[in-house]
Amino acid sequence: ITRYSGTRSQQTFQSFNLNTVTASIRLAFLGTRAYAENPQGWLVLHGNYGTGKSHLASAIANRRADQLVMSLTVPEMLEMLKDGFSDGTYRDLLDLCRTVDLLILDDIGTENPTPWAYEKLFQIINHRYNQQLPTVFILNGEIDDLEPRIASRISDLSLSTIYPMWGDDHRRTKNRDSPPRG
């Protein structure tokens, strides 16, 4: 499954910088750390760019080394499925996305909005919704910006725990105090 993972091994809960984060990001950190110990239901991280959503998702994946975890951006997952048509792995890949122990979908809402993309994404999400399989969703912005059928399932509070993560883009601020690299 390593082939289907965008997880970065250095992104752990220990390496997450809590020094300059907002209260909502601190709360998300605590919630994701607890989720990583016992993934149940769905976890949704949303907010603006650069607040650590993907870092926390990678930290969950790294903590769950005892499980089969698939961690991809939605565009990568859809591309992988399309490639499966040419190499004969499409059905197996679709089944894997639908049933893997823990599925982490980053950048949901950035996929090319074609009918095929929505259909495949909906099939995967709906299956995991009906089976209540552990799933993590990361998106920039608001849940209501997603396709309505998907937004409805992701925002179902009987299954999902939702953490908004609004704050400064750490990518723009992390190097301000360091000398320029030559």
Side-chain angles (χ1 to χ4, degrees), residues 5-30:
S5 177
T7 301
R8 297 180 180 162
S9 61
Q10 73 275 18
Q11 291 183 325
T12 64
F13 291 109
Q14 294 77 17
S15 68
F16 192 84
N17 183 356
L18 287 169
N19 292 333
T20 59
V21 299
T22 63
S24 69
I25 295 172
R26 185 175 299 276
L27 186 61
F29 171 84
L30 295 172

Side-chain angles (χ1 to χ4, degrees), residues 3 22 28 32 38 41 55 60 77 88 99 108 119 133 139 148 152 180:
R3 180 176 129 176
T22 63
T32 54
N38 185 24
H55 182 127
I60 292 169
M77 180 189 70
T99 61
I108 188 166
E119 176 188 342
L133 297 173
L139 65 137
S152 173

Side-chain angles (χ1 to χ4, degrees), residues 13-124:
F13 291 109
Q14 294 77 17
S15 68
F16 192 84
N17 183 356
L18 287 169
N19 292 333
T20 59
V21 299
T22 63
S24 69
I25 295 172
R26 185 175 299 276
L27 186 61
F29 171 84
L30 295 172
T32 54
R33 191 172 61 183
Y35 184 87
E37 294 305 314
N38 185 24
Q40 302 257 334
W42 288 6
L43 183 71
V44 181
L45 305 175
H46 74 97
N48 56 300
Y49 296 99
T51 56
K53 299 179 299 295
S54 297
H55 182 127
L56 292 176
S58 287
I60 292 169
N62 288 326
R63 171 63 186 88
R64 299 309 313 171
D66 61 326
Q67 286 187 302
L68 209 50
V69 178
M70 179 181 256
S71 177
L72 295 165
T73 67
V74 171
E76 288 171 330
M77 180 189 70
L78 293 170
E79 184 176 330
M80 175 189 73
L81 289 173
K82 277 186 186 175
D83 291 347
F85 286 119
S86 60
D87 66 16
T89 60
Y90 168 76
R91 178 57 56 194
D92 291 338
L93 291 170
L94 181 63
D95 288 343
L96 180 62
C97 292
R98 290 167 34 130
T99 61
V100 67
D101 295 338
L102 175 61
L103 178 64
I104 299 173
L105 292 178
D106 200 349
D107 283 336
I108 188 166
T110 63
E111 64 278 353
N112 187 4
T114 66
W116 184 86
Y118 281 145
E119 176 188 342
K120 293 305 142 197
L121 189 56
F122 180 76
Q123 286 175 342
I124 292 164

Side-chain angles (χ1 to χ4, degrees), residues 142-169:
E142 298 287 353
I143 296 168
D144 288 341
D145 296 336
L146 298 173
E147 193 272 334
R149 294 181 307 164
I150 292 171
S152 173
R153 283 157 181 78
I154 289 176
S155 60
D156 182 347
L157 297 179
S158 70
L159 182 60
S160 295
T161 303
I162 301 170
Y163 291 103
M165 294 180 64
W166 301 102
D168 292 335
D169 181 342

